[in-house]
Amino acid sequence: MAEENDAHSERPSAWGQALAAVALVGALSGGFWWLAKTSAAESEPKPATCSAEETPASRGKRLTGARLCEALNRPDLAALLGTPTEIAKTASGSDSSIGKIATPQAQVEFETYTVTLSATYDGLPVAGSEGLLGSYARPQKVLGRPGVLYSTRTISISFRLDGGDADSGPGVPARALSVAQDPKDRGGSVDVTLWRADGAVPDDAVLLRVAERVLQTLPGWTSRG
């Protein structure tokens, strides 16, 4: 009888161990699934954010690199470019100048396209400037304002491994659109430039689609008259 009692007392313990083992395996499986899901989410590339920061000194009526980057780096920019599955690799803005002429600019780079948005405060009208921009330049009204559509090229810079001077030369072809900063074309322009990583000439329809959507979101764009 003692042996039978001992046998009966061992059975619940064995079942308990088995159930505990099943529960442990389930918990471990759930934990591994959660870790895998979390790791996959963390490893997914995220769109680049604008690196420029607007300072109190740069705030005013003029556009800044930070404001231009904010307008250009929009969530639907890849879709406007016709490459909806791509995400922005880099996004930046800078407040540059040529002499006393302010030329703030922003740039967003994708796998296929790179887009720049810049402003030039030179006081010169846009209408009639096609004669200075080459044989492929033509007038192009955009959002009711004078504009010029023209061809240009990026600049290719290569660095020497021996530490010597860097070499520069013409890069890939680009298409650009210069639009007057105000409807009366009283001086200054906002420019959108587009080029492809594979060196193909960008489609003007893509450039115009991007420009029309981006320009009208610039601070004060609709009120400038």
Side-chain angles (χ1 to χ4, degrees):
M1 292 292 294
E3 291 180 358
E4 291 181 3
N5 289 336
D6 289 342
H8 284 297
S9 65
E10 288 176 359
R11 283 171 190 163
S13 177
W15 279 108
Q17 290 177 2
L19 290 173
V22 171
L24 178 60
V25 171
L28 289 174
S29 299
F32 287 136
W33 173 83
W34 182 83
L35 286 174
K37 184 177 181 180
T38 303
S39 299
E42 291 179 351
S43 63
E44 290 181 359
K46 297 180 180 180
T49 56
C50 294
S51 58
E53 292 186 3
E54 190 176 2
T55 63
S58 67
R59 296 187 185 123
K61 293 183 179 180
R62 287 189 175 184
L63 296 168
T64 63
R67 292 178 179 180
L68 291 172
C69 190
E70 183 181 356
L72 182 61
N73 192 28
R74 47 191 291 147
D76 64 346
L77 182 56
L80 292 173
L81 292 168
T83 55
T85 60
E86 295 185 1
I87 64 171
K89 298 194 296 182
T90 62
S92 62
S94 62
D95 295 312
S96 55
S97 62
I98 301 176
K100 294 183 179 181
I101 301 174
T103 57
Q105 60 181 334
Q107 178 174 297
V108 178
E109 180 186 1
F110 293 89
E111 189 69 29
T112 302
Y113 287 101
T114 298
V115 193
T116 65
L117 177 64
S118 60
T120 302
Y121 292 90
D122 55 5
L124 300 176
V126 171
S129 62
E130 60 270 15
L132 305 173
L133 297 172
S135 57
Y136 293 101
R138 60 180 175 84
Q140 178 69 53
K141 208 160 193 177
V142 179
L143 300 174
R145 304 187 183 195
V148 177
L149 191 63
Y150 64 98
S151 294
T152 183
R153 277 188 174 273
T154 63
I155 298 175
S156 174
I157 301 177
S158 58
F159 297 92
R160 297 179 56 174
L161 296 178
D162 60 4
D165 295 337
D167 297 324
S168 62
V172 297
R175 289 293 283 171
L177 178 67
S178 184
V179 183
Q181 288 188 11
D182 66 82
K184 296 182 180 179
D185 198 13
R186 290 172 292 197
S189 64
V190 181
D191 298 80
V192 182
T193 306
L194 182 66
W195 67 87
R196 294 177 57 104
D198 59 8
V201 179
D203 190 344
D204 286 349
V206 176
L207 175 59
L208 290 170
R209 182 167 64 239
V210 171
E212 289 177 352
R213 295 294 292 273
V214 171
L215 292 179
Q216 60 186 324
T217 66
L218 291 175
W221 178 266
T222 56
S223 61
R224 292 173 187 167

